[in-house]
Amino acid sequence: MQADIQADTAVIISAKDEQDRIAATVEAAASLPGVDLVVVVDDGSTDATARIAEGSGAKVVRHSRNRGKAAAMETGASAVRLLDGDVPRHLLFLDADLGETAKQAGPLIEPVRGGSADMTIAVFSELVKLGGHGFVVRLSRDGIKRLTGWSATQPLNGQRCLTRAAFEAALPLAAGFGVETGLTVDLLRKGFRITEVEVPLAHRATGTDWRAQLHRARQFRDVGRALAAREPAVARQRDRLRRAGR
């Protein structure tokens, strides 16, 4: 950590069965300027992810079963809150499979630290082939544009830095793989400032086998649900049902 940057940021990494890459990701994240805490949320792993993460210097919180990305993000943020001092840390969310490229995530923190953005979203400068992933991206991008007027370059990118205030304003997060889409819509609607930042990060490409196709189907479902819940007519009906059930 550079001596001229005050420690003000925690990295939160959601991980499931990432024993091959988690050590490199944790160590790279810990080297980022201003980062003094790395929290790994082991979301129901059946391998050595938690043990390796802890051995690499991370604080580890475990889910006994897989609860999904949104739940892992909330768990990680809660763990950071318990360790915060008088001034809340900024929250940098990174994927577990970034490996050594996580050391390039520093530019995501800078606009938040400098006060020019409440949330940053990574735009990967070097894209890997995603095996048909584009239709989910289009669903998210078009939905965000329709609901907020803002065009996102990589709306599903999970590499994001937020102020604590922005994160709290977005709770509860949209479930599962809808979390990034819901987070973007909710913060824009509440007047928070979002900036996209190009960074040379890279994670494992999604394949084309049946497991990858199932993964994309789940993404499509969760993104669709997140958008539907934020459509004005649907939201009003949901609120009426909630009030009626009190």
Side-chain angles (χ1 to χ4, degrees), residues 69-79 93 167 171-174:
K69 188 171 186 179
M73 290 172 66
E74 291 185 5
T75 294
S78 294
F93 292 93
F167 184 82
L171 294 176
L173 300 179

Side-chain angles (χ1 to χ4, degrees), residues 10-14 38-41 72-73 76-77 80 91-95:
V11 175
I12 299 171
I13 302 170
S14 305
V38 178
V39 173
V40 170
V41 181
M73 290 172 66
V80 172
L91 305 175
L92 174 62
F93 292 93
L94 297 177
D95 288 346

Side-chain angles (χ1 to χ4, degrees), residues 172 237-246:
Q237 178 65 12
R238 178 197 60 200
D239 292 342
R240 283 196 293 268
L241 291 173
R242 284 177 176 172
R243 287 194 294 270
R246 288 177 182 173

Side-chain angles (χ1 to χ4, degrees), residues 197-218:
V197 180
E198 186 172 298
V199 285
L201 302 175
H203 55 63
R204 184 173 48 247
T206 305
T208 57
D209 60 11
W210 69 268
R211 290 185 180 86
Q213 299 299 337
L214 180 60
H215 172 76
R216 279 187 283 275
R218 288 171 174 164

Side-chain angles (χ1 to χ4, degrees), residues 25-45:
T25 304
V26 167
E27 291 165 6
S31 73
L32 293 169
V35 169
D36 67 341
L37 175 63
V38 178
V39 173
V40 170
V41 181
D42 179 13
D43 192 27
S45 294

Side-chain angles (χ1 to χ4, degrees), residues 43-58:
D43 192 27
S45 294
T46 58
D47 64 5
T49 293
R51 177 177 57 80
I52 294 172
E54 189 170 22
S56 301

